[in-house]
Amino acid sequence: LEFNMLNQLPVWEKLAKQIIWKQIGKLNGKTILDFGSGAGITADCFAADNTVIAIEPSEEMLAKQLHTNGYQQIIGSTEELKKLPSESFDYIFCHNVLEYADDREIIVGEFYRLLKKNGKLSIVKHNRNGRVMQMVVLLNNFDEANNLLDGHNSNAQQFGTINYYDDKDIIEWCGGFTLQETYGLRTFWDLQQNQEIQKDEKWQKKMIEIEMKVSQNPDFQKIAFFHHLIFEKQVNENL
C-alpha cells in the first residue's frame, strides 16, 4: 500500500518522503504528532505501527487526504496544539511548515511542551543556499538569486512567502531542545533536468542511495535545497 501510494506522487515528493522516512528510521509503538500534515501521507505511513495525530489547516490539502492505516485528523493550527495534553508524544514531525507560520516561536514552544522527556522533533526546512542554486542553475532567475543572497525572502507557488530561518533558530526559540542530527535533502536530483530519466525506478533508487550517502556531509549540506533537523527535548532535572 505504501509503495502504491508513493507512486501516485510527483517524483520529487516521492523521493523526498522516502529519504526523510529513512532519516527518521523505523518507529514502532510510539505516539506521534504530524503538524502541518498536508494530505496525510507521512501520517498514514507511520500510523501502520504507531498512534498518530495529524493537524492540518488547509481544506484543499485535507480534500486529498489519505487514510489507509488509520490516524486521528484534526483540522486547525496552533490553537489545536494548545488543546493537547503536555508530554503526550514521543515524536513530532513538522515538515516544510514553519517558513509559512507567523507564530513559529509559539509553535516550537508548544512542541517542547507536548513532547515527553527525550522526545524527538523532526523539522524539514528550506535552505537558502539551495534556493539560490535553484534560481541560478534551473531557472536563470538572477534577480531572485541576488535578492536571496542579500537576505530577502522568496515565494513558493503554492504556499506564499518563504520566511527563511537558520537551523540554529529552533534552539534560539526554545532553549530546551538540542540538535541531534542534521541532514541535507534534495542535494542533487533537483539539478537533474532530464525529466524522463527521473521516471526510471532504477534511477530513483540510485539517487536515493547517493542522497543518503552525502546527507550528513557538511559540505554537501550547504547546497542542499532543504535541511532535515532532528532535535531532542532536554529536561532540567534541577527545576
Side-chain angles (χ1 to χ4, degrees), residues 72-84:
Q72 181 185 349
Q73 182 69 61
I74 297 174
I75 302 169
S77 188
T78 313
E79 291 307 310
E80 297 302 321
L81 278 182
K82 294 176 180 178
K83 297 176 185 177
L84 297 171

Side-chain angles (χ1 to χ4, degrees), residues 1-18:
L1 284 173
E2 177 188 312
F3 180 78
N4 291 334
M5 167 185 71
L6 285 171
N7 279 341
Q8 296 170 19
L9 300 174
V11 172
W12 66 267
E13 189 175 359
K14 173 185 174 181
L15 296 189
K17 286 190 174 0
Q18 287 181 296

Side-chain angles (χ1 to χ4, degrees), residues 10-11 29 42 51 58 65 85 89 94 122 126 129 154 156 181 238:
V11 172
T42 294
T51 301
S58 168
Q65 192 179 50
F89 295 99
C94 182
S122 164
H126 282 81
N129 289 350
S154 59
E181 302 286 352
N238 297 322

Side-chain angles (χ1 to χ4, degrees), residues 86-99:
S86 299
E87 298 183 14
S88 51
F89 295 99
D90 298 296
Y91 226 118
I92 294 177
F93 304 151
C94 182
H95 297 165
N96 195 20
V97 171
L98 294 180
E99 286 87 348

